[in-house]
Amino acid sequence: KMKSSRQANIRLGTYITGGVILFILIFYLIGSKQNMFSTSVKVTTVFSDVVGLREGASVRFTGIDVGAVSKLTILSDSSVLVEMSIDRKVTPYIKTNSVATIGSQGLMGAKLIILLPGNPDLSSIEQGDNLPSVQPVEADDILREIKISSERISIVSGNLIDITRKMNRGEGVFGKIFTDTAFAYNLSITS
């Protein structure tokens, strides 16, 4: 009888220990989902296009990784809500008017959020704040503008070449002024 009572106590102790461990694990998992134990602050911003940004992407402030993109939500056909998890230790330096933009690691690297410093006189970000955003300039846009500019430059330079050719042949008023030796002689006499 003593042996069976001891086995029952051991079994009961194992069940209670397992139950306590399971309770702590469930409490921790629920708490981590709700950020009850986290040392981060959730803030949001809205972009019209996230240009390849992904969940888990870095968030940088003054060149230092200070958090990560925790969630992307499409609000409409022209806006995407970006939720960021920022380390609580750096929140005193990030102000409510700090501007979020999308950058990339290196020339063609992964996309990330860059937080630009705000006015030091304003209050620091807090849980649930929404930061203003600036749409990033994409390399494709820059290349398109360079192409348009180079086409315009080639048109202007072509016109300049035509004008100088006409002047060299003595055509037009300026051509006659520059190629007419008699006019140049008379001009030198008057001065």
Side-chain angles (χ1 to χ4, degrees), residues 6-189:
R6 188 171 182 201
Q7 284 179 340
N9 286 342
I10 291 173
R11 211 176 289 148
L12 181 62
T14 305
Y15 286 132
I16 290 174
T17 305
V20 168
I21 290 172
L22 187 62
F23 176 74
I24 291 171
L25 186 63
I26 289 172
F27 185 72
Y28 177 75
L29 289 174
I30 291 171
S32 67
K33 284 279 188 201
Q34 301 299 321
N35 290 316
M36 289 169 56
F37 309 114
S38 103
T39 58
S40 63
V41 171
K42 299 269 187 197
V43 294
T44 58
T45 189
V46 176
F47 289 102
S48 60
D49 183 357
V50 292
V51 292
L53 184 71
R54 298 177 189 271
E55 288 182 11
S58 295
V59 176
R60 284 195 183 153
F61 179 71
T62 62
I64 301 168
D65 287 347
V66 295
V69 173
S70 55
K71 190 175 181 184
L72 297 170
T73 307
I74 298 174
L75 298 177
S76 71
D77 61 344
S78 62
S79 62
V80 178
L81 179 72
V82 177
E83 186 178 286
M84 300 169 281
S85 182
I86 308 292
D87 187 356
R88 189 175 295 281
K89 289 183 279 187
V90 298
T91 57
Y93 309 106
I94 304 172
K95 304 303 177 182
T96 53
N97 72 335
S98 293
V99 177
T101 188
I102 299 174
S104 60
Q105 294 176 328
L107 188 58
M108 301 304 267
K111 300 296 181 189
L112 55 90
I113 295 283
I114 298 172
L115 297 178
L116 305 172
N119 186 338
D121 298 332
L122 292 179
S123 61
S124 300
I125 59 170
E126 294 177 9
Q127 181 79 16
D129 280 350
N130 187 46
L131 297 176
S133 67
V134 172
Q135 200 62 34
V137 177
E138 280 297 293
D140 292 342
D141 297 336
I142 294 170
L143 292 174
R144 191 176 311 110
E145 287 298 318
I146 290 172
K147 183 178 181 238
I148 291 169
S149 296
S150 66
E151 288 171 357
R152 288 179 182 157
I153 288 170
S154 66
I155 291 170
V156 169
S157 63
N159 289 341
L160 286 173
I161 290 169
D162 287 344
I163 291 169
T164 54
R165 282 185 184 146
K166 287 178 182 176
M167 287 173 57
N168 288 337
R169 288 192 300 254
E171 297 175 10
V173 174
F174 288 114
K176 288 186 171 124
I177 290 173
F178 291 121
T179 57
D180 188 352
T181 54
F183 180 78
Y185 177 74
N186 289 336
L187 189 62
S188 67
I189 292 174

